[in-house]
Amino acid sequence: MEVVIVPDSAAGGELIAEAMADLLRRKPDALLGVATGSTPLPIYEALAAKVAAKEVDASRARICQLDEYVGLPAGHPESYRSVVLREVVEPLGLNQDSFMGPDGAAEDVAAACAAYDRALAEAGGVDLQLLGIGTDGHIGFNEPCSSLASRTRIKTLTQQTRVDNARFFDGDIEQVPHHVITQGIGTILEARHLVLLATGEAKADAVALAVEGPLSALVPASALQLHPHATVVVDESAASGLKLAGYFRATYAAKPHWQGI
């Protein structure tokens, strides 16, 4: 696992966007796994700016979702499909044919989960998967004690998660679904490159446990320790709990430029 400490979220967004752009230069039809929420927005903004400036051609890129609410129609403005279309697909100038995600409106949710796992494999696998981390160490919607071998499946949202997400539903928690479809930890680990971005002091404890703590289902993000190409990008605040911060800074400073992230 590589840990990169950056000054702020904008610097993290630029660094990861350049890694994505470099991937697209090498593999124009790369499958990019995206996450929702406020943390990855600087990544998407920086990548869209590179596309607009013709620094990279994203016209053949493919986009896939990490998770989706259960029960919201695909056209609902707060479905994750709609969010990804607004924040990633449209700014990159792509069309919906380049996009894939689980069907949260399916009558048979279990079948939809299995179908999405198969679709990812049939697409050749995810080349780069973006991740965030919860204050409890979750990735995707794999809450603490999720199986480290789990596949795409339905999960029940905690009350706190529903409270946190109510801001996207006019503050009305009753509008927030109780369930989501999420890529499992085992599914996530099949991506060729995992990139986790964390910003803010509230994420410091979770980052420290995921990076320096023991591998544990109690901290789902610690599963990144098993991956051969995992990159954790953190701002100064999110890095404040790392005991080896000095080592991480030194190794990144000495890294050959051609190695990328």
Side-chain angles (χ1 to χ4, degrees), residues 1-2 189 191-194 223-231:
M1 179 188 297
E2 179 180 33
L189 290 175
R192 296 178 182 87
H193 186 188
L194 299 178
L224 270 67
Q225 297 177 24
L226 297 170
H227 199 277
H229 190 189
T231 306

Side-chain angles (χ1 to χ4, degrees), residues 122-169:
E122 291 168 0
V126 179
D127 291 293
L128 186 152
Q129 177 65 58
L130 295 176
L131 299 166
I133 186 172
T135 55
D136 59 2
H138 75 256
I139 50 175
F141 276 110
N142 296 286
E143 299 287 358
C145 290
S146 291
S147 166
L148 300 185
S150 55
R151 309 301 303 177
T152 299
R153 68 211 190 286
I154 186 171
K155 292 289 287 184
T156 301
L157 294 179
T158 64
Q159 179 69 5
Q160 186 58 55
T161 297
R162 293 182 70 235
V163 169
D164 291 344
N165 288 1
R167 69 188 188 276
F168 299 115
F169 293 83

Side-chain angles (χ1 to χ4, degrees), residues 9-10 13-14 17 35-48 83 86-88 130 168 197:
S9 60
E14 175 62 31
T36 53
S38 57
T39 299
L41 289 178
I43 303 171
Y44 306 143
E45 292 166 359
L47 184 59
V83 172
R86 280 197 310 268
E87 296 179 351
V88 184
L130 295 176
F168 299 115
L197 175 63

Side-chain angles (χ1 to χ4, degrees), residues 103-117:
D103 183 2
E107 290 187 12
D108 188 337
V109 178
C113 293
Y116 190 49
D117 246 23

Side-chain angles (χ1 to χ4, degrees), residues 12-251:
E14 175 62 31
L15 179 70
I16 296 171
E18 181 54 33
M20 296 172 76
D22 187 53
L23 170 60
L24 290 172
R25 294 178 189 117
R26 301 191 314 269
K27 185 178 182 180
D29 64 344
L31 180 56
L32 306 174
V34 298
T36 53
S38 57
T39 299
L41 289 178
I43 303 171
Y44 306 143
E45 292 166 359
L47 184 59
K50 292 179 185 297
V51 170
K54 300 189 183 306
E55 295 177 19
V56 62
D57 179 5
S59 62
R60 294 173 56 194
R62 297 171 295 154
I63 306 295
C64 64
Q65 277 177 254
L66 183 61
D67 38 41
E68 180 58 277
Y69 284 119
V70 170
L72 292 185
H76 190 287
E78 294 308 324
S79 73
Y80 287 140
R81 179 183 181 89
S82 294
V83 172
V84 170
L85 288 174
R86 280 197 310 268
E87 296 179 351
V88 184
V89 174
E90 293 172 5
L92 293 181
L94 304 175
N95 58 51
Q96 294 194 29
D97 292 340
S98 67
F99 171 80
M100 59 191 297
D103 183 2
E107 290 187 12
D108 188 337
V109 178
C113 293
Y116 190 49
D117 246 23
R118 287 195 304 273
L120 291 173
E122 291 168 0
V126 179
D127 291 293
L128 186 152
Q129 177 65 58
L130 295 176
L131 299 166
I133 186 172
T135 55
D136 59 2
H138 75 256
I139 50 175
F141 276 110
N142 296 286
E143 299 287 358
C145 290
S146 291
S147 166
L148 300 185
S150 55
R151 309 301 303 177
T152 299
R153 68 211 190 286
I154 186 171
K155 292 289 287 184
T156 301
L157 294 179
T158 64
Q159 179 69 5
Q160 186 58 55
T161 297
R162 293 182 70 235
V163 169
D164 291 344
N165 288 1
R167 69 188 188 276
F168 299 115
F169 293 83
D170 299 321
D172 184 2
I173 190 173
E174 296 305 317
Q175 295 186 45
V176 183
H178 284 270
H179 299 96
V180 291
I181 292 174
T182 184
Q183 286 187 36
I185 297 173
T187 305
I188 290 170
L189 290 175
E190 290 178 352
R192 296 178 182 87
H193 186 188
L194 299 178
V195 180
L196 187 152
L197 175 63
T199 58
E201 188 174 358
K203 301 295 179 70
D205 289 345
V207 167
L209 287 171
V211 172
E212 298 176 337
L215 176 66
S216 171
L218 191 61
V219 183
S222 67
L224 270 67
Q225 297 177 24
L226 297 170
H227 199 277
H229 190 189
T231 306
V232 176
V233 179
V234 290
D235 69 359
E236 294 288 349
S237 295
S240 60
L242 293 171
K243 296 177 182 177
L244 297 177
Y247 172 73
F248 296 138
R249 295 180 200 279
T251 54

